Amino acid sequence: MTTTVRGLAGLAELAGRDLGSTQWVPVHQEHAAAFAHATHADTHAHHADEENAEPPLGGPVADGFHTLGLVGTLVDRLLEFQEIRMNVIYGVNRVRLPSPVPHGARVRLHADVGTVTEVRGGAMEMLVNATVEVEGEPKPACVAEVVYRIYG
């Protein structure tokens, strides 16, 4: 379910709120491979070939930064901003990648809002606690505190 926020005034109400989880989305091998190629991270962990029939993680996996990169897109499925000029990911305070995402796996995001504070220039800063889960796996693939800046 998507939470709609109208203007900067509505952001303060999000502090401490559980946003729930997204639907499961597939991590396609071609997307993970394209990310690895684009970032020059074409290592044995990201593909299987004749020389590397059994990669170190049991099969080809998505790059951890690809998994982290999905967080922003998935947060957009949980939060809809209206009456703002722009929202940007300002940074990440903490990130851990406790387990890999195999090509073809399905992931979803569970998120909650930490603090929401006013910052200079009339913008708001919102901390989102994000957990990327892999379907059928006990450990998350990514746990991060993502910093958003929202401009009215």
Side-chain angles (χ1 to χ4, degrees), residues 7-20:
L8 294 180
L11 281 172
E13 298 172 13
L14 289 179
R17 184 167 177 184
D18 185 344
L19 298 175

Side-chain angles (χ1 to χ4, degrees), residues 140-152:
C142 179
V143 179
E145 182 182 63
V146 183
V147 182
Y148 281 83
R149 288 278 171 98
I150 298 101
Y151 301 86

Side-chain angles (χ1 to χ4, degrees), residues 10-56:
L11 281 172
E13 298 172 13
L14 289 179
R17 184 167 177 184
D18 185 344
L19 298 175
S21 298
T22 64
Q23 298 292 319
W24 293 103
V25 296
V27 177
H28 297 291
Q29 179 176 353
E30 54 273 6
H31 294 161
F35 181 90
H37 179 74
T39 59
H40 303 281
D42 201 18
T43 67
H44 289 298
H46 305 304
H47 62 84
D49 56 28
E50 291 177 15
E51 291 179 30
N52 192 37
E54 189 63 32

Side-chain angles (χ1 to χ4, degrees), residues 81-142:
F81 292 105
Q82 295 180 350
E83 301 170 21
I84 64 160
R85 287 183 301 158
M86 176 175 51
N87 88 63
V88 296
I89 295 176
Y90 185 71
V92 180
N93 288 338
R94 292 185 298 270
V95 64
R96 294 290 181 268
L97 303 162
S99 67
V101 176
H103 290 178
R106 294 185 344 146
V107 299
R108 71 178 175 188
L109 175 74
H110 183 90
D112 65 78
V113 177
T115 60
V116 178
T117 55
E118 189 171 342
V119 292
R120 112 186 138 162
M124 300 291 279
E125 183 172 277
M126 176 177 70
L127 301 183
V128 173
N129 301 304
T131 302
V132 177
E133 304 167 336
V134 180
E135 189 174 40
E137 295 297 325
K139 288 176 29 177
C142 179

